[in-house]
Amino acid sequence: MNNTKEHILKTSLLLFLQKSYRDVTMSEIVAKTGLSKGAFYHYFTSKEELFREIAGMFFSMGAVNYSSFSNDSLKTFYHQYIDYLEHSLDVMGRMASAPGDNATGFNLFLILFEAVSRFPEFLKVEAEFHHKDVEAWMRVITIARAKGEISSPSTDEEIANLFLYCTDGVFLRFINNNQPATYRDFITRAFDSIYLNLKN
């Protein structure tokens, strides 16, 4: 991505975070970028096109590359997953110029909800990502069960979904909490608790 396009996307994102899709106008975005209309419209011809690209960037961050994760231990696997989540949140925070700003995190969620309502194809993308997530988690859970690392009457798929659904719930609790704890602290405690119960 070239610097001008990145500047347009970041400027637009900040406006969408401060207001909403409906309240931000194209003329406001163009003015805020400091570009001429000709230079701006070379990259984006409508607010909808611009918003779709911003939303697409965030949805694409949901595509976890599990190929580098260890399958030898469920505990090692989920700690690598936490590393990935922390890195993704850091990237999003830098894009929004507000690292550690919980309100910004909540507004990013609102942008994604707005995107889904305007572009239903993103729901299909999210469902595909979730399916791949479940498959990756099930692989390591199956291995962990075979090695005696964990024991549970729940199916591998149920355990996989427990970890994955926990991720979303912990994030919502984190952005609505004024304590100085980091997201890593919140999610690690939650995952460790699930893991300890699987070991019993």
Side-chain angles (χ1 to χ4, degrees), residues 56-192:
M57 285 191 314
F58 287 117
F59 275 99
S60 69
M61 289 179 188
V64 183
N65 180 3
Y66 291 98
S67 63
S68 64
F69 286 30
S70 170
N71 286 325
D72 293 338
S73 158
L74 176 58
K75 188 170 187 177
T76 301
F77 179 90
Y78 76 69
H79 277 283
Q80 290 172 331
Y81 183 73
I82 291 169
D83 290 341
Y84 169 83
L85 293 178
E86 186 176 52
H87 173 73
S88 294
L89 286 173
D90 182 56
V91 170
M92 284 192 274
R94 280 187 276 116
M95 285 175 67
S97 292
D101 180 354
N102 291 352
T104 296
F106 185 72
N107 289 343
L108 286 172
F109 256 70
L110 294 180
I111 284 177
L112 295 178
F113 287 132
E114 176 79 25
V116 164
S117 71
R118 292 186 178 280
F119 314 113
E121 65 268 23
F122 281 129
L123 278 177
K124 184 179 178 186
V125 170
E126 195 283 327
E128 289 169 358
F129 287 163
H130 181 71
H131 179 72
K132 289 177 182 175
D133 288 339
V134 170
E135 286 183 338
W137 279 83
M138 283 176 62
R139 279 193 297 273
V140 73
I141 290 164
T142 300
I143 293 168
R145 195 190 294 271
K147 287 183 169 183
E149 181 185 1
I150 62 169
S151 174
S152 172
S154 299
T155 67
D156 294 352
E157 184 175 5
E158 288 168 343
I159 295 170
N161 277 315
L162 184 60
F163 278 101
L164 291 166
Y165 294 154
C166 175
T167 304
D168 295 336
V170 168
F171 183 75
L172 287 172
R173 176 56 41 210
F174 167 69
I175 62 177
N176 194 31
N177 194 303
N178 292 324
Q179 295 180 15
T182 65
Y183 178 70
R184 174 181 280 278
D185 295 333
F186 276 86
I187 196 69
T188 300
R189 282 199 298 269
F191 279 11
D192 283 346

Side-chain angles (χ1 to χ4, degrees), residues 30-43:
V30 174
K32 201 77 169 172
T33 63
L35 299 169
S36 67
K37 283 187 179 180
F40 185 96
Y41 281 93
H42 172 73
Y43 293 96

